Amino acid sequence: MSDGPPLPPGTGFAEQGRFVVGSIMRHVLVMSATGSVGLMAIFVVDLMTLLYVSRLGDPALTAAVGLASVVQFFATAVNIGMMIAAGALVGRAIGAGDRPLARRLAASSMALGVLVSGLLAALIMPFADRLLGLVGAQGEALRVAHLFLMITLPSNVLLGLGMMFTGLLRAQGDAVRAMWVTLGGAIVTAILDPLLIFGAGLGVEGAAIAVCIARATFVAIGWRNLSQHGLMRRPRAAEVVADAPAMASIAGPAVLTNLAPSVASAFLTHLFAGYGPDAIAAAAVIDRLTPVAFGGLFALSGAIGPILAQNWGAARFDRMGETLRSCVTATLVYAAAVWLLLILLRWPLAGLFGLKDEAADLFAFFCLVGGAIWFFNGLLFLGNAAFNNLGFPLRSSLLNWGRATIGTVPPAYLGSALFGPRGIVAGMGIGSLVFGLLGLFLARRAVANLAERPAKPCAGQGSTAIVTGELAFPHAAGHDVGKS
């Protein structure tokens, strides 16, 4: 393996970050494994929440939690975009050996994250009923879903800040402490859910309260863990304003990227709603099960970002290409293993969630084809993570919206007309196949193109900048980040 280009004078590996040296596959596996624990903990608890609610014996309550989650994910998508932007900028600063810039960007990103997440929750709450109606909520399901949102939406500020802490810790390369942010919140939820839903007799309200407490736990653990790396300092108003364009240049397209699955999910939920409560219940279980089953793919896409960002900051282009190859291999192995388990366990899982007749048949069909769908989804995730961290965030937006529109609407409509609910599931797979392969191809092209572009002076600064993609990033002393 090539050692890559020499590092800037006076810059050691310790200052630049741990991902610029050592085995790429090891970095990928460690980051993915720790990320999987934290992510799957959250997804498992969400699945358990749905399981507990399903034990209340009212299908309308199960549908309500699923419908509320569809609406709430619009806010989560924005939080994810802010987290991606913060991780990309701070990771590059760490890779370039510029700790003062990393601290400044971390402080600014946290301030902006709190502001944006709070404003978004305030904007969604007055329109919650209308949004729930658009995704098919009616009657008792609408009433319960609205109640769930009114309790959980104000805590979106806590969720946004907790996710920001996770992204910054991963940008630092501290996968273990990043894992404990989400794992701690998941443990709290796992304990509180049965106590509040059944013990206190609060039902769905208890599940919503547990969500809020878990988000407060995210913040408490994240604050403590990030302080260990010296990245915590008070944000300064002038710096927040100055850094906002750099955050927006990545967060804006990243938010659009993450909103695309929300729009597609809302459209699919609306289609399933046309087949009655059984189809909605099956779709809700699928939505909760797939993050648990394929959480490793989400973790893989999260792992690739900090590794690429640090190596880009260090101009280690050879290692960036190797990172993509290692992630594709891991995606294939993981998706195949999970697919086999889903096929073998499809009927026991359907029974566990009380799915019967048409609902059970629809769920079982998804298990038979879901592995292939999610393998190609995984390739698209990798491409998105690469674009967001390498200065090409608009490409990830275009790919995701392409899949959410022309890759979802026509095939799902056609499948629904020809084969009913099963056809909707099959239609989902067509977009995943096309856009997953396209995302991987373009990501490889992006890395190759970056390697061919030489570092050159950044105008108006007394340092050098690696000018690549759509952003010019300061390599040493300069602290201005903006359009090249």
Side-chain angles (χ1 to χ4, degrees):
M1 182 186 303
S2 170
D3 292 333
L7 297 173
T11 303
F13 288 134
E15 289 84 357
Q16 283 207 303
R18 66 181 60 185
F19 299 136
V20 301
V21 292
S23 167
I24 288 293
M25 181 60 84
R26 181 179 182 278
H27 290 320
V28 168
L29 294 178
V30 169
M31 289 289 285
S32 299
T34 52
S36 293
V37 172
L39 280 174
M40 286 190 179
I42 294 176
F43 296 147
V44 166
V45 169
D46 282 345
L47 189 65
M48 290 172 60
T49 298
L50 192 68
L51 178 62
Y52 291 142
V53 171
S54 72
R55 288 293 184 263
L56 295 173
D58 187 348
L61 300 181
T62 305
V65 174
L67 291 165
S69 298
V70 172
V71 172
Q72 192 160 242
F73 191 75
F74 283 91
T76 304
V78 176
N79 294 335
I80 292 172
M82 297 296 290
M83 177 188 70
I84 288 171
L89 293 174
V90 173
R92 284 181 239 168
I94 293 172
D98 195 337
R99 296 296 296 187
L101 176 59
R103 285 192 292 272
R104 166 180 166 164
L105 289 171
S108 296
S109 64
M110 284 186 281
L112 291 167
V114 168
L115 178 64
V116 170
S117 60
L119 287 174
L120 186 63
L123 288 173
I124 292 178
M125 290 182 71
F127 303 100
D129 270 344
R130 189 173 303 175
L131 293 171
L132 288 167
L134 289 175
V135 297
Q138 297 177 357
E140 180 67 5
L142 174 60
R143 186 191 70 80
V144 175
H146 181 265
L147 176 63
F148 190 91
L149 286 178
M150 290 302 100
I151 296 173
T152 57
L153 273 175
S155 68
N156 186 57
V157 173
L158 299 175
L159 177 62
L161 186 56
M163 293 176 68
M164 189 69 70
F165 286 139
T166 301
L168 293 173
L169 285 165
R170 293 177 72 81
Q172 170 65 38
D174 193 343
V176 174
R177 285 192 175 94
M179 173 192 73
W180 275 105
V181 174
T182 49
L183 182 58
I187 292 172
V188 167
T189 310
I191 295 171
L192 290 179
D193 257 348
L195 293 178
L196 296 177
I197 294 173
F198 301 114
L202 295 176
V204 173
E205 292 179 67
I209 293 170
V211 167
C212 297
I213 297 174
R215 291 174 176 180
T217 306
F218 291 162
V219 174
I221 297 175
W223 188 289
R224 178 181 181 277
N225 288 350
L226 194 63
S227 298
Q228 305 294 318
H229 293 288
L231 288 176
M232 293 289 294
R233 74 164 174 82
R234 188 185 301 274
R236 299 166 185 165
E239 292 177 350
V240 172
V241 172
D243 295 336
M247 282 285 292
S249 67
I250 299 177
V255 167
L256 290 175
T257 298
N258 286 284
L259 280 176
S262 303
V263 172
S265 178
F267 166 74
L268 293 170
T269 301
H270 181 75
L271 279 186
F272 282 121
Y275 293 94
D278 283 346
I280 296 177
V285 173
I286 291 171
D287 283 342
R288 286 298 195 281
L289 178 66
T290 48
V292 175
F294 296 100
L297 300 182
F298 293 100
L300 267 169
S301 64
I304 193 176
I307 298 172
L308 286 174
Q310 285 194 13
N311 282 285
W312 184 30
R316 301 297 302 273
F317 299 109
D318 57 324
R319 294 174 63 81
M320 292 163 65
E322 185 181 349
T323 299
L324 280 177
R325 292 190 294 273
S326 297
C327 285
V328 171
T329 300
T331 297
L332 177 60
V333 173
Y334 181 88
V338 173
W339 192 4
L340 179 60
L341 287 176
L342 284 178
I343 291 173
L344 295 176
L345 299 176
R346 62 190 185 278
W347 294 115
L349 286 172
L352 180 65
F353 287 92
L355 300 178
K356 300 177 181 178
D357 303 326
E358 293 182 1
D361 288 339
L362 178 58
F363 175 79
F365 177 73
F366 170 80
C367 292
L368 292 175
V369 300
I373 293 174
W374 277 85
F375 167 67
F376 293 108
N377 280 342
L379 296 184
L380 181 58
F381 295 162
L382 295 180
N384 288 338
F387 297 136
N388 286 330
N389 285 276
L390 299 180
F392 300 98
L394 290 176
R395 295 188 185 182
S396 60
S397 295
L398 292 173
L399 281 171
N400 261 26
W401 279 98
R403 187 190 66 166
T405 53
I406 61 176
T408 298
V409 175
Y413 257 131
L414 181 61
S416 175
L418 296 177
F419 306 107
R422 287 191 175 195
I424 299 175
V425 174
M428 295 162 52
I430 296 175
S432 298
L433 168 65
V434 173
F435 286 92
L437 292 175
L438 181 60
L440 178 61
F441 171 75
L442 292 177
R444 287 176 168 171
R445 286 283 302 275
V447 170
N449 289 339
L450 293 180
E452 296 173 358
R453 300 185 185 183
K456 53 187 178 182
C458 188
Q461 298 180 18
S463 63
T464 60
I466 299 175
V467 182
T468 48
E470 298 159 8
L471 295 174
F473 188 76
H475 193 67
H479 287 183
D480 295 326
V481 183
K483 288 283 182 182
S484 59

